[in-house]
Amino acid sequence: MIPGSTPKSIGRAEWEAGSEAYATARSVITIGGMLGPVFNREASVAPKRSSTYLTRGIYLLTLFLLLCTGYLVLDGSRSLGANSDAAKFGGWMFRLLAPLQLVILSALAAVGAASNVAQEKDRRTLLLLLMTRLSGFEIVAGKTASALLMPLSLLVVSLPLFLTLPLLGGVAPSQVFAVFLVIAVSVVISAVVGTVVAFWREKTFQSIALTFLVLLLLVAAGEIIASLGPDAVGWATAISPPRALVAATNSMSGLATLARSAEGGFVALGSLFSLAVLVIGIAKVRVWNPSREVRLKAPEPETSEEFQRDAASPEGPASWKVRQPRPVWDNPILWREVRTWAYGRKILLIRGVFVFIFALIAAAVWYQIQSGAAMEPSGRIGRAFPAVTIPVAILGLISLVLVNALAVTSITGERDGLALDLLLVTDLRPREFIFGKLLGVMYAAKELILLPLALIVYLGLAGVMTLESMQYALVAAIGLYVFVTTLGIHSGLNYVSGRTATLASLGTVFFLCVGIAICMTIMVSFRGAFQLQLAPFLVMILGGGAALFAALGWRNPSSAIFTAAFALPLITFYAITQFLLQTDHLYVAAALIFGYGFTTAAMLIPALSEFDVPLEVEPGDSHAESTA
């Protein structure tokens, strides 16, 4: 019943509607009360942010444009009047949009959860939460549920669009619900892993990188198990989210058979895995935190020389109050990035995990070379590209994402730790800061950069590619590494919120690497006349260019960034197309170097001119939080 009202004072219909709304509000408040004030605050603030509704609208519009693009391309080559053609179109688009949604929402949940907790640590507000009467469940489960608000809301918003596909045929409604259940479990796994890893690690980059690598190891474990034989495919599906999604999109899948299928095993094992990781985080949150960095203790060694000196001394460090002065380079930013553990000693763990993934991919490439599959032309093996392209591309994508995450967190960490304010009032010149960060990030990520380049050299020496193509690939790869590093620094300087900067930077890399490939897949799969593909192609490319301009020029738009934003998707599309056509690889390298080099210069030149860094709180967030 509505407080202060009775059935006699208002109409019966109004009273029943008000009672239903009041009951719904009470249920939401009850759920928020169960998860604690951490989740309750985020659930109260999120609806007051305009970005919440803007993100949902853009996400649904993007999926709808992809669907319309496929329809326009296919309808231009042949009519969809026949039921068989409509069914094939519906099934194909379902199998295209479902994996895309899995990747987007899982990445959003993982990065959002890890950066949310890491931001609390950088701003030292997590210590205040630990000093309250909040239990470990309220802190960990509240942060996890807060990170799930956006990806799960996007999943629910996209459900009506996916339910239109069964109207075309080829897809059953039960398949849609089975796929959405698999995606929901994958999103929960990503959010739980990101939250617990962020509570475990001290640095933002460590949290994001380890979350990303742990999720990749789950996928790699599924592929390793699947390679053991046909009998192990079921277990691989129960472990790997991509395999479970592919199995759920099978025509035999549905809610009725989900419990007895391999994808049903993934739902069960994924739920148990999420619960186990969450329990570990709840039990250890006050053991891991506060971290050693904020405790009163003897200073840890920052260089290898200090570590060896303290290890050799039976008395430990000479003093816990002061350090011996050390000579600093002319560029103190570069000296700190190179000569100290600026990102923590636990970055060695990230390097070790990446080396392990590199070893797995290198072993797969070596096996393809020894078996001769890598030497066969792409037409003979039923592919549009050489056999070694997929493992090398996966390794390159992992490396680019990690380098970009390291670059953006190198700036957001300084901002959240209030060190950026001090740097702005010193006599440090902008070029010293920018180039110090740029070179320092690339030095800290040297293993992430050199190992993929070494694999390219191995392919050239083994005869998989010519020495000329190997040189082109090395130059283009170096240009891409410089671009993603500059992009991370640019996003960190232009966005006040660390979480927003991380999502914007990684989202740009994701769009350029995956979004263009999705658009190209639609164009290649639905073969037809070029004039029929031109209109949907321009819609996708121009829409992506507008989004790229919004991400890069959000605060300081310029004509150079405008040109780069709309030209970069076209250049990337051209480079991928030329690679698939197996033409002169010089065109591919020249296009990548010119396009990404121009974009890098467009981001670097304004940053080198002056320290134009926003330090105020974002207006939308501050207003929403003040009215919560």
Side-chain angles (χ1 to χ4, degrees):
M1 182 180 296
I2 302 176
S5 302
T6 62
K8 295 181 180 180
S9 61
I10 58 177
R12 181 177 181 82
E14 290 82 357
W15 178 76
E16 291 179 352
S19 299
E20 183 179 356
Y22 182 67
T24 304
R26 287 294 301 272
S27 63
V28 174
I29 294 174
T30 302
I31 295 176
M34 292 174 57
L35 295 177
V38 175
F39 170 76
N40 199 13
R41 176 190 175 277
E42 184 64 25
S44 302
V45 172
K48 299 179 181 180
R49 297 193 184 110
S50 58
S51 59
T52 301
Y53 307 98
L54 184 62
T55 303
R56 295 174 184 174
I58 292 177
Y59 180 75
L60 185 60
L61 180 62
T62 303
L63 294 179
F64 180 71
L65 287 178
L66 284 173
L67 184 62
C68 292
T69 301
Y71 174 79
L72 291 175
V73 174
L74 182 60
D75 188 58
S77 58
R78 54 182 170 178
S79 176
L80 294 181
N83 293 333
S84 59
D85 293 337
K88 290 180 181 178
F89 169 74
W92 191 90
M93 292 303 299
F94 179 66
R95 288 169 177 81
L96 173 69
L97 296 179
L100 179 63
Q101 184 163 242
L102 172 68
V103 174
I104 292 176
L105 298 185
S106 298
L108 180 62
V111 176
S115 59
N116 191 16
V117 177
Q119 190 175 22
E120 297 276 4
K121 286 190 172 184
D122 291 336
R123 294 182 177 180
R124 305 298 174 90
T125 54
L126 182 61
L127 298 177
L128 302 179
L129 290 177
L130 298 175
M131 293 172 61
T132 62
R133 296 182 179 179
L134 294 177
S135 62
F137 173 81
E138 291 176 324
I139 296 176
V140 179
K143 281 293 182 182
T144 304
S146 300
L148 287 172
L149 283 176
M150 180 58 71
L152 290 185
S153 65
L154 295 179
L155 185 65
V156 173
V157 165
S158 63
L159 181 59
L161 179 65
F162 275 82
L163 288 178
T164 61
L165 297 177
L167 301 178
L168 300 174
V171 181
S174 58
Q175 288 180 256
V176 177
F177 288 108
V179 166
F180 269 62
L181 184 58
V182 171
I183 295 177
V185 173
S186 302
V187 169
V188 171
I189 292 175
S190 302
V192 170
V193 171
T195 302
V196 175
V197 169
F199 275 115
W200 174 39
R201 297 267 56 89
E202 294 85 6
K203 300 291 184 178
T204 304
F205 171 70
Q206 296 177 12
S207 303
I208 296 176
L210 283 178
T211 300
F212 184 65
L213 293 176
V214 167
L215 296 178
L216 284 176
L217 287 178
L218 288 178
V219 178
E223 298 301 321
I224 293 175
I225 293 176
S227 63
L228 298 179
D231 297 335
V233 174
W235 287 102
T237 304
I239 294 176
S240 175
R243 285 185 168 270
L245 183 70
V246 172
T249 55
N250 193 312
S251 59
M252 301 300 295
S253 299
L255 291 178
T257 60
L258 185 64
R260 302 187 301 271
S261 59
E263 56 269 25
F266 168 77
V267 173
L269 289 180
S271 302
L272 293 176
F273 176 77
S274 302
L275 182 61
V277 175
L278 189 64
V279 169
I280 294 175
I282 293 172
K284 295 290 188 178
V285 61
R286 281 188 164 87
V287 177
W288 295 332
N289 301 282
S291 61
R292 296 180 179 180
E293 293 186 354
V294 298
R295 297 176 183 175
L296 186 62
K297 58 182 178 58
E300 294 184 355
E302 294 184 353
T303 62
S304 301
E305 292 80 3
E306 291 183 354
F307 182 81
Q308 296 175 358
R309 181 199 62 194
D310 295 343
S313 176
E315 299 178 356
S319 173
W320 65 275
K321 294 183 179 180
V322 297
R323 290 186 179 276
Q324 298 297 327
R326 290 174 293 171
V328 180
W329 299 346
D330 294 336
N331 190 338
I333 300 296
L334 181 60
W335 175 84
R336 179 179 179 271
E337 298 283 327
V338 175
R339 299 295 296 171
T340 68
W341 296 98
Y343 304 101
R345 288 204 302 267
K346 298 302 185 296
I347 195 176
L348 298 176
L349 177 62
I350 300 173
R351 295 173 180 173
V353 176
F354 180 80
V355 170
F356 176 73
I357 295 177
F358 168 78
L360 294 178
I361 295 178
V365 172
W366 178 83
Y367 175 78
Q368 291 179 349
I369 294 176
Q370 296 299 318
S371 62
M375 308 297 180
E376 296 180 1
S378 57
R380 295 183 181 178
I381 58 178
R383 297 177 181 267
F385 39 78
V388 297
T389 302
I390 291 182
V392 175
I394 291 176
L395 180 65
L397 180 60
I398 295 172
S399 177
L400 290 174
V401 169
L402 292 179
V403 172
N404 180 256
L406 179 61
V408 68
T409 53
S410 68
I411 303 297
T412 58
E414 302 278 7
R415 184 192 299 276
D416 294 334
L418 302 180
L420 187 60
D421 303 43
L422 300 178
L423 291 176
L424 295 179
V425 298
T426 62
D427 58 352
L428 194 67
R429 289 173 292 181
R431 60 187 181 90
E432 292 178 337
F433 178 80
I434 298 299
F435 283 117
K437 282 293 183 180
L438 184 65
L439 298 177
V441 168
M442 298 186 73
Y443 176 81
K446 53 184 178 297
E447 290 85 0
L448 310 180
I449 298 175
L450 294 178
L451 289 179
L453 296 180
L455 185 59
I456 294 176
V457 174
Y458 171 70
L459 293 178
L461 297 179
V464 178
M465 63 172 65
T466 63
L467 295 180
E468 181 182 4
S469 299
M470 181 193 72
Q471 296 175 10
Y472 295 153
L474 289 176
V475 175
I478 294 173
L480 289 177
Y481 282 119
V482 175
F483 167 76
V484 296
T485 307
T486 307
L487 174 64
I489 296 175
H490 175 81
S491 300
L493 291 176
N494 285 274
Y495 289 91
V496 176
S497 173
R499 181 170 55 180
T500 305
T502 304
L503 292 176
S505 182
L506 293 177
T508 302
V509 176
F510 174 83
F511 166 72
L512 293 174
C513 295
V514 180
I516 301 298
I518 294 295
C519 178
M520 185 191 62
T521 302
I522 295 177
M523 300 300 167
V524 173
S525 299
F526 297 145
R527 300 183 184 275
F530 175 74
Q531 62 271 17
L532 301 176
Q533 299 182 1
L534 181 60
F537 171 76
L538 290 179
V539 170
M540 294 300 301
I541 294 298
L542 295 180
L548 191 61
F549 176 70
L552 298 180
W554 175 78
R555 183 173 177 270
N556 293 321
S558 64
S559 58
I561 291 181
F562 178 83
T563 304
F566 284 93
L568 201 57
L570 290 171
I571 292 174
T572 306
F573 184 87
Y574 171 79
I576 297 177
T577 304
Q578 291 296 322
F579 175 76
L580 292 179
L581 294 176
Q582 292 296 301
T583 58
D584 192 350
H585 292 167
L586 176 60
Y587 298 147
V588 179
L592 291 178
I593 294 172
F594 173 77
Y596 287 92
F598 178 79
T599 309
T600 301
M603 293 184 293
L604 275 180
I605 292 176
L608 295 175
S609 60
E610 59 181 356
F611 272 131
D612 187 12
V613 182
L615 298 176
E616 71 278 1
V617 180
E618 291 184 356
D621 293 345
S622 61
H623 176 72
E625 293 177 3
S626 62
T627 56

